[in-house]
Amino acid sequence: MDKQATLAAITQGFVQSQSLLLALGDENRQLLIIALLRFGCDGARVGALTAQTHLSRPAVSHHLKILKDADLVTLRKEGTKHYYAVNPNGNFAVIQSTTAMIQALAQEEN
């Protein structure tokens, strides 16, 4: 891939990653991601996340919605119970490939 094509691909990667970067730009959402990772694949309910992060239930719910809209968190329903977990298939791959292209471009220029 030539330099112009690489730069275009990097630009496209950033455009595709905007919702992810905005979602992760908030410290409270970062705390929620860390807490969800501690709970593992089974996920956690809002009450458990409230206890882990010391945020209010409405704040946790608000931040989880933003993370879910950015495809970083999944929601699993069991009857009336809702479990949230980090989405391993979410937008993380886009930012990872964009970062790899930036690193490769930097190495070519050095």
Side-chain angles (χ1 to χ4, degrees):
M1 188 180 316
D2 69 357
K3 185 174 180 176
Q4 291 297 10
T6 301
L7 290 172
I10 290 169
T11 301
Q12 184 61 31
F14 273 106
V15 169
Q16 291 176 339
S17 301
Q18 283 180 332
S19 65
L20 171 128
L21 295 170
L22 286 170
L24 291 177
D26 184 273
E27 184 178 342
N28 292 320
R29 291 191 281 273
Q30 294 170 21
L31 289 173
L32 282 170
I33 291 286
I34 291 166
L36 286 169
L37 289 168
R38 288 183 183 140
F39 281 103
C41 296
D42 291 335
R45 297 180 62 201
V46 171
L49 293 168
T50 299
Q52 285 281 316
T53 60
H54 306 293
L55 296 170
S56 68
R57 288 180 72 89
V60 169
S61 294
H62 168 75
H63 290 300
L64 284 172
K65 181 186 181 327
I66 292 169
L67 291 169
K68 187 174 174 297
D69 289 348
D71 200 28
L72 299 174
V73 168
T74 60
L75 170 64
R76 184 181 87 250
K77 297 179 182 180
E78 289 182 10
T80 60
K81 297 177 182 177
H82 297 148
Y83 294 88
Y84 295 88
V86 172
N87 182 2
N89 301 317
N91 285 329
F92 293 109
V94 174
I95 197 70
Q96 185 178 19
S97 66
T98 302
T99 304
M101 285 188 283
I102 292 169
Q103 290 172 335
L105 185 63
Q107 288 177 352
E108 286 177 13
E109 290 184 356
N110 288 334

